[in-house]
């Protein structure tokens, strides 16, 4: 039955309804009976109706072709072009989706970095407040009118006063006498 063509099955069914045998007229092997011709016409009419219905549906799916009368060739070529445009659009959308995914990943990385910087900023702010509190506590402990940034040295680090050379003094002023531009100032007892 798999090797039997559907048209021959239709013919067999029509012949059985008409009461004819399965074999054609032995004198004319290719002759058709009126019932067989009618069956073939009905099958062909049905095929054409289905094809027309399918082409009308295809024409309706093509955006630029609504309501216009087109040949089957025009419908097929426009449908092919439309499918190609859809494929190109799909490729572009796929590429845009990959780019969007990359942007989202980059944005997530930036958010993580931003959160890290905020945490560091908060830590530095807390350190600054702790420093201010310590400085204010030092000012309360040392209210002798000293500048707020001055902290007296600890007694263990106290240094001896610097020695002062009493013999050393500034040179006398030249009261109106113009000295040469090459003349320098000398300190001490005389030329060395």
């Amino acid at each position: 039955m798999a090797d039997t063509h559907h048209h021959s099955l239709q013919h067999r069914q029509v012949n059985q309804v008409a009461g004819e045998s399965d074999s054609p007229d032995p004198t004319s092997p290719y002759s058709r009976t009126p019932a067989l011709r009618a069956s073939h016409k009905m099958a062909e009419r049905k095929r054409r109706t289905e094809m027309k219905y399918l082409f009308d549906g295809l024409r309706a799916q093509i955006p630029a072709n609504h309501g216009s009368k087109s040949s089957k060739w025009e419908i097929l070529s426009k449908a092919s072009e439309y499918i190609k445009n859809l494929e190109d659009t799909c490729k572009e959308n796929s590429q845009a989706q990959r780019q969007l995914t990359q942007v989202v990943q980059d944005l997530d990385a930036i958010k993580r970095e931003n959160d890290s910087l905020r945490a560091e900023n908060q830590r530095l702010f807390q350190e600054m407040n702790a420093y201010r509190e310590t400085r204010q506590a030092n000012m309360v402990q040392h209210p002798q009118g000293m500048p707020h940034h001055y902290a007296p040295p600890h007694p263990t680090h106290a240094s001896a006063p610097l020695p002062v050379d009493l013999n050393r003094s500034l040179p006398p002023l030249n009261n109106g006498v113009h000295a040469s531009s090459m003349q320098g100032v000398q300190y001490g007892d005389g030329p060395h």
Side-chain angles (χ1 to χ4, degrees):
M1 190 105 183
D3 295 337
T4 308
H5 192 265
H6 71 278
H7 287 292
S8 62
L9 290 177
Q10 287 177 346
H11 296 304
R12 187 175 301 150
Q13 291 171 350
V14 169
N15 288 340
Q16 289 172 352
V17 169
E20 299 175 3
S21 66
D22 286 343
S23 63
D25 182 15
T27 60
S28 173
Y30 299 107
S31 69
R32 293 187 177 173
T33 63
L36 189 59
R37 282 194 298 267
S39 169
H40 181 73
K41 283 182 182 180
M42 287 185 349
E44 185 63 21
R45 189 175 295 141
K46 182 179 178 186
R47 185 187 71 79
R48 286 180 184 165
T49 303
E50 287 176 5
M51 290 286 284
K52 182 183 180 316
Y53 174 76
L54 291 173
F55 271 101
D56 288 344
L58 184 59
R59 179 177 40 230
Q61 295 295 319
I62 301 170
N65 213 22
H66 290 290
S68 65
K69 193 76 170 160
S70 302
S71 69
K72 292 176 183 175
W73 178 85
E74 288 174 324
I75 292 171
L76 290 175
S77 63
K78 287 179 182 180
S80 176
E81 182 181 327
Y82 181 61
I83 290 169
K84 172 89 171 81
N85 288 340
L86 287 176
E87 288 173 342
D88 292 345
T89 301
C90 281
K91 287 177 186 176
E92 291 170 5
N93 287 344
S94 178
Q95 184 179 11
Q97 182 64 38
R98 284 192 300 272
Q99 290 174 344
L100 180 62
T101 301
Q102 183 62 46
V103 167
V104 168
Q105 290 173 351
D106 293 346
L107 183 60
D108 287 342
I110 290 170
K111 285 180 181 178
R112 286 191 301 271
E113 183 179 358
N114 191 26
D115 290 343
S116 173
L117 290 172
R118 280 187 180 163
E120 183 179 356
N121 190 21
Q122 183 66 28
R123 181 186 57 79
L124 291 172
F125 185 74
Q126 290 171 348
E127 285 181 17
M128 184 177 71
N129 283 338
Y131 172 75
R132 283 182 183 162
E133 290 172 3
T134 303
R135 190 177 70 194
Q136 287 174 352
N138 284 342
M139 286 179 62
V140 170
Q141 291 174 0
H142 307 288
Q144 296 110 352
M146 296 182 192
H148 67 277
H149 63 277
Y150 176 78
H154 297 288
T156 57
H157 297 294
S159 57
L162 294 175
V164 178
D165 185 5
L166 298 177
N167 293 332
R168 194 163 190 141
S169 64
L170 292 174
L173 293 175
N174 296 337
N175 294 327
V177 178
H178 296 287
S180 76
S181 62
M182 297 302 289
Q183 181 181 0
V185 177
Q186 288 184 342
Y187 294 97
D189 296 331
H192 292 295

